[in-house]
Amino acid sequence: GAVVSQHPSRVICKSGTSVKIECRSLDFQATTMFWYRQFPKQSLMLMATSNEGSKATYEQGVEKDKFLINHASLTLSTLTVTSAHPEDSSFYICSAKRGAETQYFGPGTRLLVL
Amino acid sequence: QKEVEQNSGPLSVPEGAIASLNCTYSDRGSQSFFWYRQYSGKSPELIMSIYSNGDKEDGRFTAQLNKASQYVSLLIRDSQPSDSATYLCAVNLDFGNEKLTFGTGTRLTIIP
């Protein structure tokens, strides 16, 4: 199966700081990457769809100025949580899509904002 | 409102028995259906995908799709304790729409 990595796996930061999360497809070129957020005991909620070389498409209710997405290459997408607050604490998961195939998920990044 | 619904459980099944997980979806135009397994604290892992009406088998797993009833299910035969996890049903509208809509998941516990 396809391998997707995320870094860091866990991050703790102070309120008001920014955090960058990287998502990499290790053994394939991803035409599209997705960013999800999952709160405890809830399902995955799609935040945005990221296509290489173009602007991300954000889901309704997701602030694009707060969650900055950059998809600089076919193997790397980054999510930056700007001016993070405690309510942004969550499990952030990326997925990558290879052509018409299904999505392969990264291991997730657990963010805790103090 | 496009929705994917699952019984949240918990569903308890004795080891060796068949676990049956169900999912309904609201959008009749949905084309692709997926089952993911998520262990606590981990990200989802793809178990099965199904696109056509009927059954699709892969090892101990069988996915069943009935588009007329807007229903997709996952059967796990010879359940093992390692199958204990939350199972997420995911649907996308059509092949041109890459987004997946997830159900809330069913928590499955296999009792040794």
Side-chain angles (χ1 to χ4, degrees):
Chain A
V3 180
V4 178
S5 71
Q6 273 185 252
H7 177 79
S9 59
R10 185 182 297 267
V11 58
I12 301 173
C13 69
K14 292 182 178 180
S15 185
T17 61
S18 294
V19 175
K20 180 186 282 189
I21 303 170
E22 290 187 351
C23 177
R24 294 181 185 272
S25 55
L26 297 184
D27 55 354
F28 67 101
Q29 292 185 326
T31 53
T32 307
M33 289 184 171
F34 302 85
W35 287 96
Y36 295 85
R37 181 167 51 180
Q38 186 177 35
F39 292 106
K41 299 192 186 302
Q42 295 186 23
S43 191
L44 278 74
M45 296 300 296
L46 180 64
M47 298 175 68
T49 302
S50 171
N51 291 294
E52 186 265 340
S54 63
K55 291 183 179 180
T57 302
Y58 290 81
E59 293 300 299
Q60 191 174 6
V62 178
E63 301 174 57
K64 57 183 168 184
D65 294 332
K66 180 172 181 62
F67 298 99
L68 302 178
I69 292 173
N70 184 284
H71 196 154
S73 75
L74 285 172
T75 59
L76 173 64
S77 177
T78 60
L79 168 68
T80 301
V81 183
T82 62
S83 187
H85 289 95
E87 58 266 29
D88 298 323
S89 298
S90 189
F91 191 38
Y92 291 86
I93 310 172
C94 74
S95 70
K97 197 165 186 285
R98 178 173 58 187
E101 295 184 40
T102 189
Q103 297 180 30
Y104 297 93
F105 284 88
T109 297
R110 198 162 297 281
L111 170 64
L112 176 61
V113 184
L114 301 177
Chain B
Q1 180 75 17
K2 300 180 177 61
E3 291 184 358
V4 177
E5 295 189 3
Q6 297 179 252
N7 187 324
S8 62
L11 175 65
S12 296
V13 172
E15 183 176 357
I18 295 175
S20 177
L21 304 163
N22 304 315
C23 173
T24 59
Y25 57 96
S26 62
D27 196 321
R28 191 170 286 278
S30 299
Q31 297 290 324
S32 306
F33 308 85
F34 307 88
W35 282 100
Y36 287 86
R37 177 175 62 197
Q38 186 175 26
Y39 292 113
S40 181
K42 303 294 185 182
S43 67
E45 168 191 11
L46 179 67
I47 298 295
M48 294 279 289
S49 60
I50 186 167
Y51 306 97
S52 305
N53 278 328
D55 294 359
K56 179 181 177 182
E57 187 174 318
D58 183 1
R60 295 187 296 111
F61 299 96
T62 299
Q64 299 175 316
L65 175 61
N66 184 325
K67 289 186 179 181
S69 300
Q70 295 175 236
Y71 175 95
V72 57
S73 65
L74 179 70
L75 301 178
I76 306 175
R77 289 182 300 282
D78 188 23
S79 298
Q80 303 297 308
S82 59
D83 295 327
S84 298
T86 296
Y87 288 80
L88 300 169
C89 173
V91 177
N92 76 357
L93 176 61
D94 55 41
F95 290 119
N97 183 346
E98 300 175 301
K99 297 192 294 186
L100 289 179
T101 301
F102 283 84
T104 52
T106 297
R107 188 155 58 90
L108 174 66
T109 300
I110 306 302
I111 303 168

